[in-house]
Amino acid sequence: MNRRNFVWTGCAALTAQRVRAESEAAAIVLVAGKRWVTVAGRSVELLTYNGQLPGPQLELRPGQDVTIRLINDLPEPTNLHFHGLHLPPSPGVDDALLQIPPGEQHEYRFTLPADHPAGTFWYHPHVHGMTANQVGGGLAGAIIVRAEFEERLELTRVPERVLILQDFDLLADGTLARPTQMDRMIGREGALITVSGEVVPNLPVSASGVARLRFINACSSRFFNLALGKQALVVIGVDGGLIAAPNAARSTLLAPGERIDTIVSGAALAEGPDLLWNLSYQRTFAMMGGMMGGQRQAAGNAVIAHIIPTAGEGAGWTMPTKLADVSPLPAAARLRTFVLGEGTGRMGMGMGSQQAMAFTINGRTFDMRRVDTDVRLGTVEDWEFVNNTSMDHPMHIHTNAFQVIGSNGSPLPAWKDTVLVKAGQRVRVRTRFDDFTGLAVYHCHILDHEDMGMMGTLRITN
Ligand code: C2O
Ligand code: CU
Ligand code: CU
């Protein structure tokens, strides 16, 4: 069953219909609250938008005026972040520092830039210290930006599914477990894995055609190492939209916050259904795992969906050899280094502050009153993330996408906003601070790490 929910108003262009340049306004209401929902026949109490898991899917087009009223029915502050969208990080817009108190509401208003790339984005809460609980409790939804050029590739003819990957740690009574200090340190994971609200769903693909699967890793901490049993996973897009050329991979790692856009072929299903696997992957050093009791060791391969052949539309589409124009960013004006660390620090403020496990960037835990990185609008910079810790950290930057610098020193032809920095490794990305001034953040997207300090502020000024 397809659980897509379209709550935006005013437009019905979904498939072959022509996407118009001039667009109607979208008006959306999201109520964040704890609700009982049914997952795979079981009653569970999760955090939801509008009582749905995942939250409603928002369909947006470049140039569109968007209004999102967020009503906070949670017993604690919340807010919204539009992960990956190129929007002003200004007060009340894409404002990770805003807090909407319980029982109150906020109206987010923005115009998606007219040249905004098409792609798979998502929204989720972003209150420092509560992000892992809220996102890990279920608060997440997809934002699909559609633009005209995908029509030239005839991608609009290809049936698609948006697959939001979530995991939940539940008690026997169906309520969310409280993570232990150790869970938070490693990054909580839950045994219940849902794929757009379903457990091991059937994903139909026309036996004579193809389907487009867009994956969003909306887990607090769980990584996915995605693979199909009978065919390569053909990646056509990543975080910030389509990539330059399709890339067939045996398996693809998807860290929290990351997205991939893929094409699955029905031809491989001639002999029967295929399996979508989450292959085992270890995101901490073995020693670390041992120290921590080893419960987060590679858990073995698991099936997370079945790919089922069906009769139906989709025949005749051939994979283009060229997808999007991703022009490399020009050389950077400066290089900054961000050293990721684990240690202890003072968490909390004043009387309530205590010595606790902390995660740091350049030796400091997050403080919203401090500006960590000051940049000028329009400049290009290289940022190098240096991971000397024993855990992988997927690093995310708000507001502007980046290009990862490849091993040959040039930027790879793909727009990313979250990049995996494996334990003991360093990764360099190139970004340009375009269009918007304001105060943004960058952080580890293992949300327990973000909550425990692995976040910094980025001030973009004229
Ligand atoms: Cu997906 Cu700062 O977050
Ligand atoms: Cu983000
Ligand atoms: Cu981390």
Side-chain angles (χ1 to χ4, degrees), residues 117-424:
T120 310
F121 306 97
W122 61 300
Y123 60 91
H124 63 78
H126 214 296
V127 175
H128 180 61
M130 303 176 187
T131 307
N133 277 339
Q134 293 188 8
V135 177
L139 292 174
I143 301 175
I144 304 300
V145 178
R146 298 185 192 276
E148 217 158 324
F149 82 96
E150 291 197 327
E151 276 182 59
R152 290 196 297 273
L153 300 173
E154 301 202 348
L155 267 172
T156 45
R157 294 204 293 118
V158 176
E160 72 166 53
R161 294 286 300 262
V162 178
L163 305 174
I164 303 193
L165 306 178
Q166 293 173 292
D167 68 340
F168 303 99
D169 190 10
L170 296 166
L171 301 173
D173 66 0
T175 60
L176 288 160
R178 274 175 67 101
T180 63
Q181 195 55 33
M182 209 63 88
D183 291 334
R184 299 190 64 217
M185 217 200 102
I186 298 168
R188 72 189 69 187
E189 291 189 8
L192 179 70
I193 294 177
T194 59
V195 180
S196 289
E198 297 179 81
V199 178
V200 197
N202 288 336
L203 307 176
V205 176
S206 159
S208 59
V210 296
R212 180 180 189 179
L213 303 181
R214 303 180 189 241
F215 294 90
I216 301 172
N217 186 345
C219 295
S220 272
S221 317
R222 180 185 287 276
F223 286 38
F224 288 86
N225 190 14
L226 298 169
L228 293 166
K230 296 178 174 174
Q231 58 182 306
L233 201 56
V234 182
V235 177
I236 60 167
V238 294
D239 303 348
L242 295 186
I243 55 179
N247 179 23
R250 187 63 207 93
S251 66
T252 301
L253 209 49
L254 198 68
E258 287 187 306
R259 289 87 68 206
I260 50 167
D261 193 344
T262 66
I263 295 287
V264 175
S265 157
L269 307 176
E271 245 92 275
D274 199 356
L275 300 173
L276 176 64
W277 290 93
N278 177 20
L279 300 179
S280 105
Y281 173 76
Q282 195 175 314
R283 62 183 176 82
T284 64
F285 275 163
M287 196 187 68
M288 182 78 187
M291 219 167 68
M292 298 303 155
Q295 76 272 39
R296 296 296 184 229
Q297 291 304 293
N301 303 336
V303 172
I304 59 168
H306 292 157
I307 313 286
I308 305 293
T310 58
E313 61 168 321
W317 187 83
T318 38
M319 179 74 72
T321 52
K322 196 178 168 318
L323 293 165
D325 272 318
V326 182
S327 28
L329 285 169
R334 70 175 285 178
L335 168 67
R336 292 177 201 266
T337 304
F338 298 87
V339 179
L340 311 178
E342 292 160 5
T344 52
R346 295 207 77 75
M347 299 297 289
M349 276 176 275
M351 296 288 287
S353 95
Q354 45 177 292
Q355 202 71 17
M357 184 67 204
F359 288 85
T360 58
I361 300 176
N362 291 337
R364 304 197 283 201
T365 56
F366 180 68
D367 183 345
M368 66 180 279
R369 298 158 303 183
R370 185 183 68 220
V371 174
D372 294 300
T373 307
D374 239 319
V375 305
R376 303 305 292 269
L377 190 67
T379 58
V380 178
E381 294 194 357
D382 279 354
W383 285 20
E384 186 161 79
F385 297 106
V386 180
N387 185 351
N388 292 330
T389 76
S390 52
M391 285 184 231
D392 292 0
H393 298 289
M395 298 304 295
H396 170 52
I397 310 176
H398 284 210
T399 313
N400 293 283
F402 52 74
Q403 294 172 354
V404 177
I405 305 294
S407 48
N408 65 355
S410 2
L412 302 173
W415 289 105
K416 294 277 295 166
D417 55 55
T418 307
V419 66
L420 178 56
V421 189
K422 292 184 179 177

Side-chain angles (χ1 to χ4, degrees), residues 359 391-395 444-446 449-450 454:
F359 288 85
M391 285 184 231
D392 292 0
H393 298 289
M395 298 304 295
C444 177
H445 221 288
I446 289 179
H449 295 174
E450 183 248 280
M454 196 174 260

